Amino acid sequence: MSASIEVRGLSRTFHTTVRRPGFTGTLRSLVNPERVAKHAVSDITFDVSPGELLALLGPNGAGKSTTIKMLTGILTPTSGEARVASVVPYQERERNARNIGAVFGQRSQLWWDLPVRESFSILRDIYEVPKAEHATRLKEFDDLLDLSSFWDTRVRHLSLGQRVRCDLAAALLHDPPVVFLDEPTIGMDVVVKEQVREFLRYQVEERGRTVLLTTHDMTEVERLAERVVLINHGRLVLDGSLDEIRRTFGSTWQIRATFADAHTEVAGLPGIAVLRQDGPQVVFGPEGPDAPSVHQALKTVIERYEVTGVAIDEADLEDVMRAAYVQAGAA
Ligand SMILES: Nc1ncnc2c1ncn2[C@@H]1O[C@H](COP(=O)(O)OP(=O)(O)OP(=O)(O)O)[C@@H](O)[C@H]1O
Ligand SMILES: [Mg+2]
């Protein structure tokens, strides 16, 4: 089966006019506006397979939302192309809309002045979902997201976490195979976040939906995504598994070993340095560009020396991503 989302050399440049400072500057800007080009997305290529959840990561302004807007048909690319469930989204917006669900955590797609229940009825009419099917799905969403306590509340009166949960349910009411989520758990408390993650896992694993998600929450990435695409300054920096990202940017680990014999002569091993030794306590760390992963290193250390205890300190994903963003920015 071909990919659910295909992105080929996708680029989007925004042209904005800059205002010169001061009164004469303003006049000059009016007569002769200075145009600057912002390459928000530059030549990005990746695929998402059916039933896969991919996290699109990158620092603020990297081009994540711009990419999602092209894939949902809101924006037209400057060059390159994209297909979502075989449809070119910006050429056939309506057809694309039937295949996708989209949530922009920062902005609700629901009708501000209507109670949640009515918003959902309108969506049912728009997407022509049969009544019984609609009711079954609402029940399922309610079970997973606990929506019924605010069914009759106007959207404008919902708290942020309640509103985004309603947006999630609304985006899936017409049972789309592909789902785009731009910061879906923004501003949620830890309990609700976990509930939403469970919901997303269910949608991917049980319902086979394809999900493209952006988030700044690394715990979320660890819980949900096997694969990530990292972009920075509009360019794709890395497309791979979390393990690959760790290997590329997160070679910081330490193994603290307790030796059976305090007088053992300890030497470094290939790619593994001895950082400290204090009697039977020895601390190993990675050395050089070919340093092994922490798990391989642990195996090597245990095979080579007789140890009675080990503790591992591994850089957490936040540290790894910080290193990735810094390195990518410098590239
Ligand atoms: N309509 C627009 N006109 C001009 N510039 C824009 C427009 N939309 C986005 N940009 C610029 O394009 C770049 C990418 O923005 P985008 O919203 O895609 O970033 P992002 O990765 O989603 O960031 P964040 O993590 O902050 O949400 C930014 O520099 C932004 O200022
Ligand atoms: Mg964004």
Side-chain angles (χ1 to χ4, degrees):
M1 203 167 161
S2 64
S4 282
I5 304 174
E6 298 172 64
V7 177
R8 294 286 173 274
L10 203 65
S11 304
R12 171 72 201 211
T13 302
F14 292 109
H15 293 281
T16 47
T17 49
V18 281
R19 226 165 239 262
R20 297 177 180 91
F23 178 68
T24 44
T26 306
L27 281 183
R28 275 179 57 212
S29 298
L30 283 173
V31 181
N32 179 18
E34 189 187 338
R35 304 240 300 163
V36 283
K38 170 81 209 171
H39 302 290
V41 174
S42 303
D43 195 19
I44 282 185
T45 297
F46 65 89
D47 280 337
V48 191
S49 306
E52 185 177 29
L53 185 149
L54 177 81
L56 182 62
L57 303 180
N60 290 141
K64 304 178 296 293
S65 295
T66 305
T67 303
I68 291 196
K69 283 179 190 160
M70 291 190 271
L71 298 176
T72 49
I74 297 169
L75 279 177
T76 303
T78 312
S79 62
E81 56 179 32
R83 274 171 207 279
V84 175
S86 306
V87 174
V88 178
Y90 37 87
Q91 284 172 4
E92 294 188 81
R93 272 191 77 162
E94 272 190 35
R95 217 175 128 208
N96 188 54
R98 292 192 174 269
N99 293 334
I100 67 165
V103 173
F104 293 89
Q106 317 256 18
R107 255 183 69 199
S108 181
Q109 314 268 83
L110 297 169
W111 290 268
W112 215 231
D113 284 315
L114 296 182
V116 176
R117 190 197 296 275
E118 276 181 51
S119 277
F120 285 2
S121 304
I122 295 177
L123 288 169
R124 188 193 72 212
D125 291 342
I126 292 177
Y127 290 107
E128 296 159 340
V129 182
K131 270 202 168 131
E133 213 175 291
H134 179 82
T136 315
R137 246 171 249 157
L138 269 193
K139 168 85 177 58
E140 183 186 303
F141 293 150
D142 181 32
D143 288 345
L144 295 165
L145 293 172
D146 236 342
L147 305 174
S148 48
S149 54
F150 40 87
W151 261 172
D152 295 308
T153 309
R154 282 173 206 279
V155 172
R156 67 160 69 246
H157 293 149
L158 295 176
S159 78
L160 178 60
Q162 292 169 338
R163 200 266 292 153
V164 183
R165 272 185 282 164
C166 289
D167 264 301
L168 271 170
L172 296 178
L173 270 178
H174 61 294
D175 203 21
V178 182
V179 184
F180 295 99
L181 306 169
D182 195 354
E183 301 190 44
T185 56
I186 187 167
M188 287 182 177
D189 71 49
V190 283
V191 176
V192 171
K193 260 189 186 177
E194 198 47 46
Q195 193 180 22
V196 167
R197 286 175 197 148
E198 274 303 317
F199 177 75
L200 294 180
R201 232 193 314 269
Y202 175 83
Q203 295 303 328
V204 173
E205 288 170 9
E206 304 297 323
R207 288 306 163 94
R209 289 189 224 280
T210 309
V211 176
L212 180 65
L213 165 104
T214 80
T215 179
H216 290 292
D217 181 333
M218 290 307 143
T219 313
E220 195 151 293
V221 177
E222 283 196 299
R223 299 273 172 87
L224 289 174
E226 280 176 13
R227 207 181 120 219
V228 302
V229 162
L230 176 60
I231 60 173
N232 200 10
H233 300 301
R235 296 195 171 276
L236 194 144
V237 179
L238 195 143
D239 176 348
S241 64
L242 281 182
D243 275 351
E244 279 171 69
I245 292 221
R246 280 216 170 82
R247 256 182 274 132
T248 311
F249 298 106
S251 53
T252 50
W253 48 257
Q254 288 194 349
I255 294 172
R256 285 175 287 131
T258 309
F259 278 46
D261 176 1
H263 304 292
T264 313
E265 284 267 320
V266 189
L269 296 158
I272 306 172
V274 177
L275 302 180
R276 281 190 301 281
Q277 181 168 14
D278 182 10
Q281 306 289 341
V282 182
V283 182
F284 297 94
E287 186 174 55
D290 298 322
S293 72
V294 66
H295 300 108
Q296 282 169 321
L298 181 61
K299 195 161 166 274
T300 311
V301 167
I302 290 173
E303 276 168 5
R304 174 71 181 75
Y305 297 109
E306 198 182 326
V307 300
T308 56
V310 283
I312 295 176
D313 297 323
E314 208 178 346
D316 68 16
L317 193 56
E318 293 266 349
D319 299 331
V320 175
M321 294 314 293
R322 201 173 302 122
Y325 288 179
V326 170
Q327 273 182 262

